[in-house]
């Protein structure tokens, strides 16, 4: 997979996820669409958003100063690039769907949401950070 395609995929993923998830947590906490307490929503927000913003900073730093040869091929398999973001979206979507259908009546929704967010950040940290560092390395390379 060409490095430029990896950059596009991960850039769109982190920008989209940061914006949508951040706004979702802020706007829909303590409603039917996110039936968790404001305290739990704030905790989840504080876990995921700084991590995603750090990734965005690296991505946009590269966009501002790309190297001249930025279309080289890479040895990363497609599943290693697409798998972690897809899995994270699936986990977060399933968690939110579960919370909405339960409406907070049976589960400790806030704790489940925070655990899900923490797991997603850890999963992305273990899988995507090295790829991002590699493909969005210094613009002066």
């Amino acid at each position: 997979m060409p490095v430029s395609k990896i950059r596009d995929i991960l850039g769109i993923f982190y920008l989209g996820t940061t914006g949508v998830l951040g706004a979702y947590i802020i706007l829909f906490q303590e409603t039917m669409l996110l039936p968790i307490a404001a305290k739990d929503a704030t905790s989840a927000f504080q876990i995921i958003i700084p991590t995603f913003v750090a990734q965005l900073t690296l991505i946009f730093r590269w966009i501002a100063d790309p190297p001249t040869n930025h279309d080289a091929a890479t040895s990363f398999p497609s599943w290693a690039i697409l798998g972690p973001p897809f899995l994270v979206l699936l986990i977060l979507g399933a968690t939110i769907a579960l919370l909405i259908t339960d409406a907070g009546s049976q589960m400790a929704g806030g704790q489940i949401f925070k655990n899900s967010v923490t797991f997603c950040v850890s999963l992305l940290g273990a899988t995507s950070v090295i790829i991002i560092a590699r493909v969005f390395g210094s613009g002066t390379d």
Side-chain angles (χ1 to χ4, degrees), residues 58-100:
L58 182 60
I59 290 166
F60 277 88
R61 185 182 130 258
W62 184 90
I63 290 170
D65 187 20
T68 54
N69 182 12
H70 60 86
D71 228 7
T74 181
S75 61
F76 289 119
S78 295
W79 66 264
I81 307 302
L82 302 174
F86 176 76
L87 191 56
V88 163
L89 292 176
L90 186 68
I91 292 167
L92 290 173
T95 301
I96 291 168
L98 181 66
L99 293 175
I100 290 171

Side-chain angles (χ1 to χ4, degrees), residues 14-24 49 56:
Y14 276 99
L15 179 60
T17 306
T18 303
V20 171
L21 187 58
Y24 182 81
I49 298 304
L56 279 175

Side-chain angles (χ1 to χ4, degrees), residues 29-30 34-43 109-110:
Q29 62 187 332
E30 295 187 320
L34 187 59
I36 63 173
K39 177 183 157 207
D40 293 325
T42 299
S43 294

